[in-house]
Amino acid sequence: MSKVRTPKQHRGIQTKNRIMKAAFQLFAKKGIHGTNSKEIVGKAGVSIGSFYSYFKNKKTLLLEMLEDYLDRHYTTIWKPMDNFSIHELGRDDIKLIIESVFKAYDISPEFHRQTHALRYSDPDINRIYDRERNREVEQVKHLIENNITRLSVKDPLAAAIVIHNAVENVAHTAKFIGSKIDEKRLINELTDMIYSFFSKETTPL
Amino acid sequence: MSKVRTPKQHRGIQTKNRIMKAAFQLFAKKGIHGTNSKEIVGKAGVSIGSFYSYFKNKKTLLLEMLEDYLDRHYTTIWKPMDNFSIHELGRDDIKLIIESVFKAYDISPEFHRQTHALRYSDPDINRIYDRERNREVEQVKHLIENNITRLSVKDPLAAAIVIHNAVENVAHTAKFIGSKIDEKRLINELTDMIYSFFSKETTPL
Amino acid sequence: MSKVRTPKQHRGIQTKNRIMKAAFQLFAKKGIHGTNSKEIVGKAGVSIGSFYSYFKNKKTLLLEMLEDYLDRHYTTIWKPMDNFSIHELGRDDIKLIIESVFKAYDISPEFHRQTHALRYSDPDINRIYDRERNREVEQVKHLIENNITRLSVKDPLAAAIVIHNAVENVAHTAKFIGSKIDEKRLINELTDMIYSFFSKETTPL
Amino acid sequence: MSKVRTPKQHRGIQTKNRIMKAAFQLFAKKGIHGTNSKEIVGKAGVSIGSFYSYFKNKKTLLLEMLEDYLDRHYTTIWKPMDNFSIHELGRDDIKLIIESVFKAYDISPEFHRQTHALRYSDPDINRIYDRERNREVEQVKHLIENNITRLSVKDPLAAAIVIHNAVENVAHTAKFIGSKIDEKRLINELTDMIYSFFSKETTPL
DNA sequence: AATGAATGAGCTTTCATTCAT
DNA sequence: GATGAATGAAAGCTCATTCAT
């Protein structure tokens, strides 16, 4: 008999959702290490016993929440791109994607920041972030490959990783730390850099 | 009468160094939260009392260590650039700097990873990393401004931040996570991207 | 969600009582500073976690115990006086009250001694003892005022405080330190002093 | 060879005095448990090593300080009484002595309060306070015995103890806690009570 | 399905005291 | 006589998790 309950009835599903919602708000507000399980169930209005019926432990809850969160994050970025003509990538297209990325962080910059902070110290968290990175890099790679004849990129995977890294970290700087300079200036220069990268074959300086 | 001892005698300096060295190794190996003060003094071969003579608390030790570490990190990157002709920035120069950055991470990728992980959740750690980021961005901005006539960068500060972010995050990916693809491929594409950025005025695609 | 549990179930009430009982005995025997939380829970047969479920900290436990104790102390003294004709205060009445006071100390002279020791160095303890003193002084003042026509006391409050102080300190000397002379001799002289005070108008020496 | 140094040279005596003076001020201000040895030597401007040359331990220092203090306390009360005609004890004489007692507390009410707090929990402190109490009670007993023909006190020792206790505790209330009512009112009633005690034979109410 | 009382390993920090210099 | 670096026992408290009800 599995010790972790998978809710099938309405009440059970609701209970589990309430726990996740409460945890999400508390993690964002007080940090993951700053939130203990008593607080979560207190805010969720359920008992500590229920918590351990639905989640093996605190870590499991976090991982499940993170997967949910990153699915929403991914969808926010790439859903609008579905009907995209990706064969004629212009400067505006690049800018649009970058802006999409920046917007995706607004779901909950705090939760993103808190979990990302654990990425480099917790292998499980990293695994989930890695899966996310891989599918995002894959998307970037597709964009490059679909425009490859017009570009001189020799190593599409490496280029995709580099571009992804650049966008991700500029977004983090803007969203997590709050750069002293305006987000728009960062987006503009970032767009310029990536756009110029795509035309790098033409007469270098 | 300050509660924290500033060692003046030889023995005291040695003890403090031994604590810092032991902590450095343990933090890198077991993580910062995974290391307790007893372990540190155990490895250092000193008493727990000595620990609290030299450091107000665990956090203070970490901050002191991080400042030391980032000074070495900064020096490793920019010292070789002192005699540099920065007025004629070519592709090879850019690559050299990027390689310098990657090398700087080899001092202790683990310690860097562990502390960087705290950046987004601990304001004190973030403050120290911010100071570091600022002086590095400043260096990049100088390089841009010294080559400004040959470039078309309109917003040197934003560009410097974007470039810095790109390089930093690619290095983190390579050094902290270990990309499945070779570091050299990443450096090459990164160099290309930045180099092309610097010549972006010339006939875009 | 309060961090300190208020026991509602039978088991919880029992646990809290066991902690208080064990602490009471240990404080009396080994002193308050000489007793640590581990010892208390050890004697109570519960876990340290339970301790901190029911009491915010050691101090809170002590304050709660002291309030309970002083309530019992107060009741022991004044309950028998309820049906008292307090309008005809004779020497025997005074002696009876004094003996009542002395008896009240026998609930636990040791606990009284230990906590009273903290009165002058701990404001929280003092606050509780002050509340106790005030209601006792109030009782004495009532007795004086109810006999005021037969007495010449001009300042009933000051007189009540003075009398209360005298009785309290003689009791402490007898109960805490153990005077070399018999308790009965002290009670006799104390009674004489107070009784004479009440008839001081009549031909002084 | 005794481990505790008895200073004979000028410098040594000075060092010991500086330690005692610093400790006296700190104990009064921050409490005895709230003052650690580092603070004492810091304020005294000597080394922790010196401290342990002159005092076996912190407790010894406290006991030595307390003996000094109580000698000054005793002298303040009884020195002015040396040329006293104690054979004709009137109300004013009693009041004068009581006022003398109250004044004696002004040497350092804080130090007195702090040490007195330890009396009932520390046998060594109690021993010193007991010695003090005994000589004070002895003085009161002498006064009674010198006036015995005019008084009806049957048990001079018990009476002395009772009177001493009354005065002591009223002084503590006034000096340590700060009664809401004026010190003078307390002294007046206290004087009345004791004076009446001395003439108690005369027609009680 | 839900509850919440109970558990106890584990952590940081303080401070009186010693002793080599 | 004086110094101060080093010691380590001891204490209070937190919190994820279990399990009887």
Side-chain angles (χ1 to χ4, degrees):
Chain A
M1 189 198 74
S2 125
K3 297 194 64 174
V4 173
R5 197 183 294 157
T6 308
K8 270 147 202 166
Q9 297 185 10
H10 180 60
R11 188 164 47 143
I13 293 169
Q14 221 183 13
T15 300
K16 189 169 180 183
N17 281 344
R18 260 154 69 181
I19 293 169
M20 289 180 87
K21 199 174 163 188
F24 191 79
Q25 289 168 3
L26 286 169
F27 285 176
K29 186 163 136 205
K30 314 181 59 180
I32 289 158
H33 287 303
T35 306
N36 63 41
S37 28
K38 284 262 173 52
E39 283 178 284
I40 296 171
V41 298
K43 183 165 184 125
V46 303
S47 72
I48 189 72
S50 279
F51 183 101
Y52 282 92
S53 297
Y54 292 112
F55 302 98
K56 195 171 153 284
N57 53 37
K58 231 182 113 185
K59 178 77 169 286
T60 305
L61 162 67
L62 179 60
L63 297 179
E64 210 168 306
M65 286 169 65
L66 183 56
E67 289 196 324
D68 278 13
Y69 171 80
L70 288 181
D71 282 348
R72 275 190 283 159
H73 181 79
Y74 180 83
T75 306
T76 305
I77 301 172
W78 299 104
K79 200 80 191 180
M81 248 120 271
D82 273 358
N83 307 322
F84 226 67
S85 166
I86 50 175
H87 290 282
E88 301 264 349
L89 212 57
R91 193 186 182 280
D92 287 348
D93 301 321
I94 292 170
K95 196 173 179 190
L96 220 68
I97 299 175
I98 291 172
E99 282 168 344
S100 231
V101 171
F102 273 63
K103 269 199 205 85
Y105 279 88
D106 292 333
I107 296 172
S108 178
E110 284 306 312
F111 182 78
H112 203 129
R113 190 180 86 190
Q114 300 287 347
T115 49
H116 184 85
L118 298 178
R119 165 163 208 186
Y120 296 116
S121 62
D122 184 315
D124 296 310
I125 301 282
N126 186 49
R127 213 194 56 240
I128 294 174
Y129 264 105
D130 242 19
R131 195 203 52 171
E132 175 65 16
R133 157 169 294 178
N134 285 337
R135 59 179 174 180
E136 291 181 9
V137 165
E138 202 58 30
Q139 289 276 16
V140 176
K141 197 170 129 245
H142 280 326
L143 285 175
I144 294 173
E145 285 168 343
N146 277 311
N147 288 274
I148 200 79
T149 51
R150 303 162 49 250
L151 309 179
S152 70
V153 172
K154 283 154 276 168
D155 190 339
L157 176 56
I161 292 173
V162 163
I163 290 167
H164 181 270
N165 273 317
V167 177
E168 181 186 58
N169 211 24
V170 174
H172 287 183
T173 299
K175 298 295 187 181
F176 297 167
I177 299 181
S179 192
K180 275 160 247 152
I181 78 167
D182 192 50
E183 207 172 292
K184 281 176 189 157
R185 283 167 65 190
L186 292 177
I187 291 179
N188 263 328
E189 290 300 316
L190 187 55
T191 306
D192 281 351
M193 181 170 74
I194 293 167
Y195 182 54
S196 69
F197 185 26
F198 280 2
S199 51
K200 71 174 188 302
E201 83 281 31
T202 57
T203 31
L205 79 170
Chain B
M1 173 208 38
S2 101
K3 292 194 69 177
V4 174
R5 194 185 296 157
T6 309
K8 270 146 200 167
Q9 298 184 6
H10 179 61
R11 192 167 40 141
I13 293 170
Q14 219 182 14
T15 299
K16 187 169 181 183
N17 282 344
R18 262 153 72 178
I19 293 169
M20 289 180 89
K21 200 173 162 187
F24 192 81
Q25 290 168 2
L26 286 168
F27 284 176
K29 186 164 136 205
K30 314 184 56 182
I32 288 157
H33 289 301
T35 306
N36 65 39
S37 26
K38 283 256 171 54
E39 283 178 281
I40 296 171
V41 298
K43 181 160 186 130
V46 303
S47 72
I48 188 69
S50 282
F51 183 101
Y52 283 93
S53 298
Y54 291 111
F55 304 98
K56 197 172 152 285
N57 50 40
K58 235 180 99 182
K59 178 78 169 287
T60 305
L61 162 67
L62 179 60
L63 297 179
E64 208 169 307
M65 285 169 65
L66 182 56
E67 289 197 323
D68 277 12
Y69 171 79
L70 288 181
D71 281 348
R72 274 190 285 159
H73 181 80
Y74 180 85
T75 306
T76 305
I77 300 171
W78 299 105
K79 202 79 192 180
M81 246 119 273
D82 273 358
N83 307 322
F84 226 68
S85 166
I86 50 173
H87 290 282
E88 304 260 352
L89 213 58
R91 192 186 183 279
D92 287 347
D93 300 322
I94 292 170
K95 195 174 181 192
L96 219 69
I97 298 174
I98 292 172
E99 283 169 342
S100 233
V101 171
F102 273 62
K103 268 200 205 83
Y105 279 87
D106 292 332
I107 296 173
S108 177
E110 285 306 312
F111 181 78
H112 203 129
R113 190 180 85 191
Q114 298 288 348
T115 49
H116 185 85
L118 297 178
R119 166 163 207 187
Y120 296 115
S121 61
D122 184 312
D124 295 310
I125 300 282
N126 186 49
R127 213 192 57 238
I128 294 175
Y129 263 106
D130 243 19
R131 195 202 53 170
E132 176 64 16
R133 158 167 293 178
N134 286 338
R135 60 179 175 180
E136 290 181 8
V137 165
E138 203 58 29
Q139 290 275 14
V140 177
K141 196 171 132 244
H142 280 325
L143 286 176
I144 293 173
E145 286 169 342
N146 278 310
N147 289 273
I148 200 80
T149 53
R150 303 162 48 248
L151 309 179
S152 68
V153 171
K154 282 155 275 167
D155 191 339
L157 176 57
I161 292 172
V162 164
I163 290 168
H164 182 269
N165 273 318
V167 176
E168 181 186 57
N169 210 23
V170 174
H172 287 182
T173 299
K175 298 295 186 180
F176 296 166
I177 300 180
S179 192
K180 277 160 245 152
I181 76 169
D182 193 50
E183 205 172 294
K184 281 177 189 152
R185 282 168 64 190
L186 292 177
I187 291 179
N188 264 326
E189 290 300 316
L190 187 55
T191 307
D192 280 351
M193 181 171 73
I194 293 167
Y195 182 54
S196 69
F197 186 25
F198 281 2
S199 49
K200 71 174 185 303
E201 83 279 36
T202 57
T203 32
L205 79 168
Chain C
M1 173 209 37
S2 99
K3 293 193 66 173
V4 175
R5 195 184 298 158
T6 309
K8 271 146 200 167
Q9 298 183 5
H10 178 62
R11 192 167 40 143
I13 294 170
Q14 219 181 14
T15 300
K16 187 169 181 182
N17 282 344
R18 261 152 72 180
I19 293 168
M20 289 181 90
K21 199 172 162 188
F24 192 81
Q25 289 169 2
L26 285 169
F27 285 176
K29 187 164 135 204
K30 314 183 56 181
I32 288 156
H33 289 302
T35 305
N36 65 40
S37 24
K38 285 257 174 48
E39 283 178 281
I40 296 171
V41 297
K43 181 160 186 131
V46 303
S47 71
I48 188 70
S50 282
F51 184 100
Y52 284 96
S53 298
Y54 292 110
F55 304 98
K56 196 173 152 283
N57 50 40
K58 234 180 100 182
K59 177 78 169 286
T60 304
L61 161 67
L62 180 59
L63 297 179
E64 208 169 308
M65 286 169 64
L66 183 56
E67 289 197 324
D68 278 11
Y69 171 80
L70 288 181
D71 281 347
R72 275 190 285 159
H73 180 80
Y74 180 84
T75 305
T76 306
I77 299 171
W78 300 103
K79 200 79 192 179
M81 247 119 273
D82 272 358
N83 308 322
F84 226 69
S85 166
I86 49 174
H87 290 281
E88 303 262 353
L89 213 57
R91 192 185 182 280
D92 287 348
D93 301 320
I94 292 170
K95 195 173 180 189
L96 219 68
I97 299 174
I98 292 172
E99 281 168 343
S100 230
V101 171
F102 272 64
K103 267 198 205 85
Y105 280 88
D106 291 332
I107 296 173
S108 177
E110 283 307 312
F111 182 79
H112 203 129
R113 189 180 87 191
Q114 298 288 347
T115 49
H116 185 85
L118 297 178
R119 165 163 208 188
Y120 296 115
S121 61
D122 184 313
D124 295 309
I125 301 283
N126 186 49
R127 211 194 57 239
I128 294 175
Y129 264 105
D130 241 21
R131 195 202 51 169
E132 175 65 15
R133 158 169 293 179
N134 286 338
R135 61 179 174 180
E136 291 181 8
V137 164
E138 202 58 28
Q139 290 276 15
V140 176
K141 195 169 132 248
H142 280 325
L143 286 176
I144 294 172
E145 286 167 343
N146 278 309
N147 289 272
I148 200 81
T149 53
R150 302 162 49 250
L151 309 179
S152 69
V153 171
K154 284 153 275 166
D155 190 341
L157 176 56
I161 292 173
V162 164
I163 289 168
H164 180 271
N165 272 317
V167 177
E168 180 186 59
N169 210 25
V170 174
H172 288 184
T173 299
K175 298 295 187 181
F176 298 166
I177 300 181
S179 192
K180 274 159 249 154
I181 78 169
D182 192 51
E183 203 173 293
K184 281 175 189 156
R185 284 168 63 191
L186 292 177
I187 290 178
N188 262 327
E189 290 300 318
L190 186 55
T191 306
D192 280 352
M193 182 171 72
I194 294 167
Y195 182 55
S196 69
F197 185 26
F198 280 2
S199 50
K200 71 176 185 301
E201 83 278 33
T202 57
T203 33
L205 80 169
Chain D
M1 188 198 74
S2 126
K3 296 191 66 172
V4 174
R5 196 183 293 155
T6 307
K8 270 146 199 165
Q9 296 185 11
H10 180 59
R11 186 164 49 145
I13 293 170
Q14 221 183 14
T15 299
K16 189 169 179 182
N17 281 344
R18 261 153 68 181
I19 293 169
M20 291 180 85
K21 200 174 163 188
F24 190 80
Q25 290 168 3
L26 286 168
F27 285 176
K29 186 164 137 205
K30 313 183 57 179
I32 288 158
H33 288 302
T35 305
N36 64 41
S37 28
K38 284 262 172 51
E39 284 178 282
I40 296 171
V41 297
K43 183 165 184 125
V46 302
S47 71
I48 189 72
S50 278
F51 182 101
Y52 282 93
S53 297
Y54 291 111
F55 302 98
K56 193 171 154 285
N57 52 38
K58 229 181 114 184
K59 179 78 167 287
T60 305
L61 162 67
L62 179 60
L63 297 179
E64 209 168 308
M65 285 168 66
L66 182 57
E67 289 197 322
D68 278 12
Y69 170 80
L70 288 181
D71 281 348
R72 273 190 285 158
H73 181 80
Y74 180 84
T75 305
T76 305
I77 300 171
W78 299 104
K79 200 80 191 181
M81 248 120 271
D82 273 358
N83 307 322
F84 226 69
S85 165
I86 49 173
H87 291 282
E88 303 262 351
L89 212 57
R91 193 186 182 279
D92 287 349
D93 300 321
I94 291 171
K95 195 173 180 192
L96 220 69
I97 298 175
I98 291 173
E99 282 168 344
S100 232
V101 171
F102 272 64
K103 269 198 205 85
Y105 280 87
D106 293 332
I107 296 173
S108 177
E110 284 307 313
F111 182 79
H112 202 129
R113 189 180 87 191
Q114 299 287 348
T115 49
H116 184 85
L118 297 177
R119 166 162 206 187
Y120 296 115
S121 62
D122 185 313
D124 295 310
I125 300 283
N126 187 49
R127 211 192 57 239
I128 294 175
Y129 264 104
D130 243 20
R131 193 204 53 172
E132 175 65 16
R133 157 168 294 178
N134 286 338
R135 60 179 174 179
E136 291 181 9
V137 165
E138 202 58 29
Q139 289 275 14
V140 177
K141 196 170 130 243
H142 281 325
L143 285 175
I144 294 172
E145 287 168 342
N146 277 311
N147 288 272
I148 200 79
T149 52
R150 301 162 50 251
L151 309 179
S152 69
V153 172
K154 283 154 275 167
D155 191 340
L157 175 57
I161 292 173
V162 164
I163 289 167
H164 181 270
N165 272 318
V167 177
E168 181 186 57
N169 211 25
V170 174
H172 287 184
T173 298
K175 298 296 188 181
F176 297 166
I177 299 181
S179 191
K180 275 161 248 153
I181 76 169
D182 192 51
E183 205 172 295
K184 282 175 189 155
R185 282 168 65 190
L186 292 177
I187 291 178
N188 263 328
E189 291 299 318
L190 187 55
T191 306
D192 281 352
M193 181 171 74
I194 294 167
Y195 182 55
S196 70
F197 186 26
F198 281 2
S199 50
K200 71 174 186 303
E201 82 282 36
T202 57
T203 33
L205 77 171

